[in-house]
Amino acid sequence: MRRQLIEATVASLIETGFARTTTVEICRRAGVTRGALLHHFDSLADLFAATLAHLYEQFLAGAEGADDASAADGPVDGEAMVEGLWRHFSRPEYKAVIELWLASRNEPELGAVLAPTILKIRDLANPRLNPALLDRLGRSAEAVAFYRLVLEAMIGMALGRAVTPGDGVMGHEDLVLAMLSRMARQVLGDPV
């Protein structure tokens, strides 16, 4: 039942946005009563926190073993990192993440509930706070800055998709990814 409610929340966030993702809408999509929702979650904010944690877990699980910056050991293959990160950021579910990030900033009570989950993933994605990631990237300031550039470009393109009508794909994505891949070869070197 918890998973059903989380999946209904993700679908609503993607299709209707945060403002229209209400208890009534989530229950309708999940085919459950409000009482059932409150049996599993103390509040709508708690459901949103569980939803965000679930999405992060999915993204991290999908990255395990991939040849990108999240793989366990060895130097990072920059081109594979760019491709792997875009696989995650381009998923439709990332729109739900963006909706929750923005809502957490605009609604202080929700922000307080979501903060631990947001901070956890922020710290995992920060090479200065994640020694394993820093070791894989290399310790140069340029490599760390490039990784941050890639993340910020991906978040920007994901945000662009989130606000683009229709299928959300923007015409410049392939060009940006190719540019980032070329830069990866320059900054991180060719794969071994």
Side-chain angles (χ1 to χ4, degrees):
M1 178 69 67
R2 286 178 61 88
R3 185 165 184 93
Q4 193 174 336
L5 288 162
I6 288 171
E7 288 173 359
T9 303
V10 170
S12 182
L13 287 166
I14 291 169
E15 294 171 24
T16 67
F18 177 78
R20 290 181 282 184
T21 299
T22 62
T23 303
V24 171
E25 179 61 16
I26 293 166
C27 290
R28 182 190 69 74
R29 287 173 181 266
V32 302
T33 65
R34 187 171 188 274
L37 184 147
L38 294 174
H39 174 74
H40 293 281
F41 299 98
D42 291 336
S43 66
L44 187 56
D46 288 336
L47 173 55
F48 287 140
T51 299
L52 188 59
H54 171 76
L55 289 168
Y56 283 162
E57 288 167 13
Q58 278 188 324
F59 296 148
L60 291 173
E64 286 178 12
D67 192 20
D68 61 26
S70 62
D73 53 15
V76 70
D77 175 335
E79 291 180 78
M81 176 188 74
V82 169
E83 291 171 12
L85 287 170
W86 185 237
R87 272 194 310 275
H88 297 293
F89 283 97
S90 66
R91 290 176 60 180
E93 293 87 353
Y94 209 80
K95 182 176 181 181
V97 171
I98 290 170
E99 290 283 344
L100 291 172
W101 280 354
L102 294 174
S104 73
R105 178 170 161 40
N106 295 318
E107 295 192 15
E109 289 177 19
L110 178 61
V113 174
L114 294 181
T117 304
I118 292 171
L119 293 175
K120 178 181 175 184
I121 200 72
R122 182 201 65 187
D123 292 352
L124 280 174
N126 184 337
R128 299 290 181 213
L129 299 174
N130 183 342
L133 178 58
L134 185 60
D135 288 343
R136 296 218 47 239
L137 288 171
R139 296 186 172 267
S140 76
E142 188 175 42
V144 171
F146 174 71
Y147 178 74
R148 298 299 308 171
L149 171 68
V150 171
L151 286 181
E152 290 164 13
M154 301 286 174
I155 291 169
M157 289 193 305
L159 179 58
R161 277 190 171 195
V163 299
T164 300
D167 64 7
V169 177
M170 300 175 297
H172 65 279
E173 292 173 2
D174 289 339
L175 180 59
V176 170
L177 295 172
M179 292 170 69
L180 290 172
S181 290
R182 283 193 305 276
M183 290 175 69
R185 286 191 298 277
Q186 291 173 340
V187 174
L188 301 174
D190 287 326
V192 178

